[in-house]
Amino acid sequence: MNRAEITEWLKDLQDRICSGLESLDGTARFTEQLWTREEGGGGRSRVIRDGDLLEKGGVMFSAVHGAAPAFLRNDASINPAASGEPAEFYATGVSIVLHPQNPFVPIIHMNIRYFEMGNKRWLGGGIDVTPHYVSVADAAEFHRSLRNMCDRHHTDYYNRFRIWADDYFFIPHRNETRGIGGIFFDRLTGNESMDFASNLEFWKDTGELFLRAYAPLTEQNRKKRFTEAHRQWQLQRRGRYVEFNLVYDKGTRFGLESNGRIESILVSLPPLAAWEYYFKPAEGSEEWKTQQLLRKGVDWENVR
Amino acid sequence: MNRAEITEWLKDLQDRICSGLESLDGTARFTEQLWTREEGGGGRSRVIRDGDLLEKGGVMFSAVHGAAPAFLRNDASINPAASGEPAEFYATGVSIVLHPQNPFVPIIHMNIRYFEMGNKRWLGGGIDVTPHYVSVADAAEFHRSLRNMCDRHHTDYYNRFRIWADDYFFIPHRNETRGIGGIFFDRLTGNESMDFASNLEFWKDTGELFLRAYAPLTEQNRKKRFTEAHRQWQLQRRGRYVEFNLVYDKGTRFGLESNGRIESILVSLPPLAAWEYYFKPAEGSEEWKTQQLLRKGVDWENVR
């Protein structure tokens, strides 16, 4: 597939995911905004609000191009010449964050991106889940679906990319992971374990997996009754999500620093979030149990 | 005043401000937590919650010391030798952020800090206000009180430090100021326009001004009736406050990166905040008027 074909495939994926999510939600519909970027390219932002399942969600497509900013031109790992000379880049992707209504349904994030500069091109992406309340059974099912998908492409990928996700979605100042992880990968070219075409198939499958991996996490959980205390905890966990995205997330910070479309970048932030000073859940409570599980390296399919 | 006297003065200021705020609030009381820092020193954190005036507020005192971290040792502007050799630092201050219940009462922030390393010492601080709804009359009164205080010490200070506040409390990715500014200053030693003792008097007056500058902003505004729409706008303005503090505020980022006491650092975050995708207030509305005024260089005492 060339650049144009990949771009069309991503737009089609966005269409299919949006209509899948509308069916899943049952009541709300996405609204769309088209935008263009002065320096080249643009995007198709779709946001859903106040649904039966989803309190706020964004499914964003963009394809931007133009003169590569200095930090890209000068990065030897991207630009072998690293000459600082003018170069063109092309970047396209789909990015999703969903904040559900029910605290027992997790937040989910998916992103797949394709990047070209000069005669190089590579792929990045991942899916990860941030439960407000960790269900070990759900986490095992989610990771199993990721592992099965990865294993169809390369036997190393699940473990490599699961570890990468744990390291990436980590909040050092809280000493906790953002959630139960998932997979995260970047700069897949074709120079490593598989050729580009095979990596592209894996990358596409990551996008295809999204709805199948998310739906089971919503089915039972969205019907669970919850109290005001559960809701308060959800708002606090969303506060942590804000902390990660604004302080550590590379995509967000790159967007803020490179004058990206601010509304699309920050659509990942929750509709409502809370910060309580020195909130310590009672030992043994469900909130406490969740905190204990927010650490790197948990083998979710074998937690006792 | 020496280090110990300054430290005692700050603790006394914290006491007086907390009791002043309890009187002003009328119903809620501060709760206190003492903490110690493994590498030296500690603090006295005081937090108020769910009052009649204050939804959440922190009045934090700390005095920490020990081996200076590398970034301080290597900074030639602080350490003339910039040798990277071991050096001791001492830092003490009071820091305040108050989030009111009523959207017509502004958020206020005050910080004064004293720093010593080797044979150098300096002062920093400021007061600034973030209204959810800008009242030009309130802004003028607030800036007049700052100007009067500054003018008693040095005729240049108000203008210099007002501009510094506008530049510091700015959110580039939103292209708006955090609020109506105030004053901000750093690294006052005694090498510039006034000797250290005179700068110290100015610095102390900044602390002393806090209650006098804040009270008038609450008196009438706290009684104003507000709707759910006003509340929603307040929550969104708090979202901007979160964006500034997590993305740009040097004190917050330094605290996150230097393993500071996380609960004290993030006490500045609001109890509840909201993010709406692509929220554009109707032209001419109060929310729209506020947005128009969130820019640098407004001469608040002479707005037409």
Side-chain angles (χ1 to χ4, degrees):
Chain A
M1 285 172 97
N2 62 25
R3 172 204 286 201
E5 289 163 337
I6 288 171
T7 307
E8 282 311 302
W9 183 86
L10 283 167
K11 289 172 83 163
D12 181 63
L13 180 72
Q14 185 197 30
D15 285 341
R16 289 183 289 121
I17 286 177
C18 287
S19 83
L21 287 174
E22 286 178 349
S23 299
L24 202 59
D25 186 85
T27 64
R29 315 281 291 179
F30 280 91
T31 56
E32 177 181 280
Q33 282 190 311
L34 305 178
W35 54 272
T36 54
R37 179 175 171 272
E38 217 170 285
E39 303 89 338
R44 199 165 72 175
S45 294
R46 294 197 183 145
V47 175
I48 195 166
R49 193 72 169 90
D50 297 328
D52 182 67
L53 171 67
L54 299 171
E55 192 173 325
K56 179 184 176 188
V59 178
M60 320 306 263
F61 160 82
S62 67
V64 299
H65 58 87
F71 83 96
L72 286 176
R73 295 199 312 267
N74 295 320
D75 184 337
S77 70
I78 295 171
N79 185 8
S83 57
E85 305 242 322
E88 294 282 314
F89 81 100
Y90 182 87
T92 184
V94 164
S95 196
I96 305 174
V97 173
L98 306 178
H99 291 282
Q101 299 275 10
N102 191 307
F104 295 108
V105 177
I107 304 163
I108 191 163
H109 165 238
M110 192 277 272
N111 169 253
I112 49 176
R113 52 195 179 273
Y114 167 83
F115 192 93
E116 250 182 47
M117 196 165 84
N119 61 352
K120 293 190 79 173
R121 57 185 193 158
W122 68 83
L123 303 161
I127 312 183
D128 70 284
V129 156
T130 304
H132 313 95
Y133 288 93
V134 173
S135 150
V136 170
D138 283 354
E141 182 173 359
F142 172 67
H143 274 273
R144 196 175 303 118
S145 69
L146 291 175
R147 187 166 50 76
N148 288 339
M149 185 278 288
C150 290
D151 284 354
R152 284 199 297 276
H153 297 274
H154 196 297
T155 52
D156 291 349
Y157 274 11
Y158 172 69
N159 272 324
R160 273 176 60 194
F161 300 156
R162 179 180 67 84
I163 291 167
W164 202 340
D166 270 2
D167 288 337
Y168 184 80
F169 297 108
F170 185 71
I171 308 176
H173 66 262
R174 298 288 189 180
N175 194 30
E176 63 186 35
T177 51
R178 185 169 81 170
I180 57 163
I183 57 169
F184 183 94
F185 55 91
D186 203 9
R187 305 226 181 149
L188 292 187
T189 59
N191 300 322
E192 63 283 285
S193 18
M194 294 200 305
D195 62 20
F196 187 84
S198 304
N199 276 325
L200 188 65
E201 290 309 307
F202 161 71
W203 177 86
K204 286 166 65 182
D205 261 8
T206 302
E208 297 289 354
L209 181 64
F210 175 75
L211 278 174
R212 289 204 313 281
Y214 181 56
L217 302 174
T218 67
E219 272 168 31
Q220 300 305 314
N221 292 329
R222 68 189 289 182
K223 299 175 200 150
K224 287 188 182 157
R225 297 176 74 168
F226 61 92
T227 65
E228 186 53 31
H230 293 126
R231 174 68 174 170
Q232 282 305 315
W233 177 251
Q234 178 184 37
L235 297 181
Q236 287 191 62
R237 298 315 305 172
R238 287 178 175 177
R240 297 288 217 272
Y241 209 83
V242 172
E243 290 177 28
F244 177 82
N245 283 21
L246 292 181
V247 180
Y248 302 108
D249 185 60
K250 289 187 175 71
T252 304
R253 293 199 66 94
F254 169 68
L256 297 184
E257 286 161 21
S258 66
N259 200 23
R261 184 177 186 261
I262 199 67
E263 293 291 341
S264 299
I265 296 162
L266 297 183
V267 74
S268 66
L269 299 182
L272 202 61
W275 282 269
E276 285 302 328
Y277 174 73
Y278 211 75
F279 183 85
K280 304 285 171 197
E283 204 171 313
S285 65
E286 289 305 309
E287 292 79 12
W288 179 87
K289 283 179 196 163
T290 282
Q291 279 190 325
Q292 306 311 304
L293 289 165
L294 296 175
R295 49 181 214 270
K296 295 184 185 185
V298 176
D299 177 5
W300 292 104
E301 294 174 65
N302 294 290
V303 174
R304 319 196 140 262
Chain B
M1 286 172 95
N2 62 26
R3 171 204 288 201
E5 289 162 338
I6 287 170
T7 307
E8 281 312 302
W9 182 86
L10 284 166
K11 289 172 84 164
D12 182 62
L13 180 73
Q14 186 196 30
D15 285 341
R16 289 184 289 121
I17 286 176
C18 287
S19 83
L21 287 174
E22 286 177 350
S23 299
L24 202 60
D25 186 85
T27 64
R29 316 281 293 179
F30 281 92
T31 55
E32 177 181 280
Q33 283 190 310
L34 304 177
W35 53 273
T36 54
R37 179 175 170 271
E38 218 170 284
E39 304 89 340
R44 200 165 72 175
S45 295
R46 292 193 183 148
V47 175
I48 196 165
R49 193 70 170 93
D50 297 327
D52 181 68
L53 170 66
L54 299 171
E55 191 172 327
K56 179 184 177 188
V59 179
M60 320 307 263
F61 160 83
S62 67
V64 299
H65 57 88
F71 83 94
L72 286 177
R73 294 200 312 269
N74 295 320
D75 184 336
S77 69
I78 296 171
N79 186 9
S83 58
E85 306 243 322
E88 294 282 314
F89 81 101
Y90 183 87
T92 185
V94 164
S95 196
I96 304 174
V97 174
L98 306 178
H99 290 281
Q101 299 275 12
N102 191 307
F104 295 108
V105 177
I107 305 165
I108 192 163
H109 166 240
M110 192 278 274
N111 169 253
I112 49 176
R113 52 195 179 273
Y114 167 83
F115 193 92
E116 253 182 44
M117 197 166 81
N119 61 353
K120 294 190 81 174
R121 57 185 191 159
W122 68 81
L123 303 161
I127 312 183
D128 70 284
V129 156
T130 304
H132 313 93
Y133 288 93
V134 174
S135 149
V136 170
D138 282 354
E141 182 173 359
F142 172 66
H143 273 273
R144 197 175 302 119
S145 69
L146 291 175
R147 186 166 50 75
N148 289 338
M149 184 279 288
C150 290
D151 284 353
R152 285 199 298 276
H153 296 275
H154 196 298
T155 51
D156 291 349
Y157 275 12
Y158 172 69
N159 271 326
R160 273 176 59 194
F161 300 158
R162 180 180 65 84
I163 290 167
W164 202 340
D166 269 1
D167 287 338
Y168 184 80
F169 297 108
F170 186 71
I171 308 175
H173 65 263
R174 298 288 189 179
N175 193 30
E176 65 186 32
T177 51
R178 186 169 81 170
I180 57 162
I183 57 170
F184 183 92
F185 56 91
D186 204 8
R187 305 229 181 146
L188 292 187
T189 58
N191 299 323
E192 62 284 285
S193 20
M194 296 201 302
D195 63 19
F196 187 83
S198 304
N199 275 325
L200 188 65
E201 289 309 307
F202 161 70
W203 178 86
K204 285 165 67 181
D205 262 8
T206 302
E208 296 290 354
L209 182 64
F210 175 75
L211 278 173
R212 289 204 314 280
Y214 181 56
L217 302 174
T218 67
E219 272 167 33
Q220 300 305 315
N221 292 329
R222 69 190 289 182
K223 298 173 201 152
K224 288 188 180 154
R225 297 176 74 169
F226 61 91
T227 65
E228 187 52 31
H230 293 126
R231 174 69 174 170
Q232 282 306 316
W233 176 251
Q234 177 184 38
L235 298 181
Q236 287 192 62
R237 298 316 304 172
R238 287 177 175 178
R240 298 288 217 269
Y241 209 84
V242 171
E243 290 176 27
F244 177 83
N245 284 20
L246 293 180
V247 179
Y248 303 107
D249 186 60
K250 290 188 175 69
T252 303
R253 293 198 67 92
F254 169 68
L256 297 183
E257 286 161 19
S258 66
N259 201 23
R261 182 175 187 264
I262 199 67
E263 293 291 340
S264 300
I265 297 161
L266 297 184
V267 74
S268 65
L269 300 182
L272 202 62
W275 282 269
E276 284 302 328
Y277 174 74
Y278 211 74
F279 183 85
K280 305 283 172 199
E283 204 171 314
S285 66
E286 290 305 310
E287 293 77 14
W288 179 87
K289 284 180 195 161
T290 282
Q291 279 190 325
Q292 307 310 307
L293 289 165
L294 296 176
R295 50 180 213 269
K296 294 184 186 184
V298 176
D299 177 5
W300 292 104
E301 294 174 65
N302 294 290
V303 175
R304 320 196 141 260

